[in-house]
Amino acid sequence: QVQLIESGGGLVQAGGSLRLSCAASGRTFAGYAMGWFRQAPGKEREFVAGISWSGTSTYYADSVKGRFTISRDNAKNTLYLQMNSLKPEDTAVYRCAVDRDIVPARTSSEYDYWGQGTQVTVSS
């Protein structure tokens, strides 16, 4: 059974940092792109960051560029999202996902596997 389990969320003050992890089990995702999405209450799910299968190419939403860093460790089957300089508008449930291609898409419909999500709350 394929599982993606996120961890690392929590409550942090504006300007603080968090590191999210997404541990995959059930199969290896080393040959596929992966991404992070988020959804705030009353808002649609939005793309945050994506990474190619090899980790050599990364992509970010304009709203997080320069503050967030996506990375992966294929040996550990784990995806990461380092979030710095957090803002209240970053508050959302963050979910990791596996793309069906080697380059990450910005649309959620291109992703086949999803984690349950981890809550990130940034206080002002």
Side-chain angles (χ1 to χ4, degrees):
Q1 182 181 0
V2 175
Q3 275 193 316
L4 297 175
I5 300 177
E6 302 94 339
S7 62
L11 174 64
V12 64
Q13 287 188 330
S17 298
L18 284 173
R19 189 192 194 205
L20 305 184
S21 297
C22 170
S25 62
R27 58 166 289 184
T28 179
F29 294 112
Y32 298 90
M34 297 186 72
W36 287 97
F37 287 77
R38 68 186 182 187
Q39 188 166 17
K43 295 188 177 181
E44 293 191 352
R45 182 186 301 168
E46 64 171 345
F47 172 82
V48 175
I51 189 166
S52 62
W53 72 275
S54 62
T56 56
S57 297
T58 57
Y59 308 82
Y60 298 94
D62 288 342
S63 59
V64 307
K65 200 173 295 182
R67 300 187 298 121
F68 290 11
T69 303
I70 188 172
S71 61
R72 66 190 296 167
D73 185 336
N74 286 339
K76 295 182 178 179
N77 225 16
T78 302
L79 177 72
Y80 304 98
L81 184 68
Q82 177 66 43
M83 305 186 296
N84 298 329
S85 301
L86 282 161
K87 304 175 180 180
E89 50 263 44
D90 294 319
T91 295
V93 174
Y94 286 70
R95 300 176 70 184
C96 62
V98 181
D99 198 320
R100 60 182 67 121
D101 206 339
I102 61 174
V103 178
R106 292 177 179 263
T107 54
S108 59
S109 60
E110 297 299 310
Y111 291 75
D112 286 334
Y113 299 100
W114 290 84
Q116 290 298 310
T118 185
Q119 176 70 46
V120 172
T121 303
V122 184
S123 63
S124 57

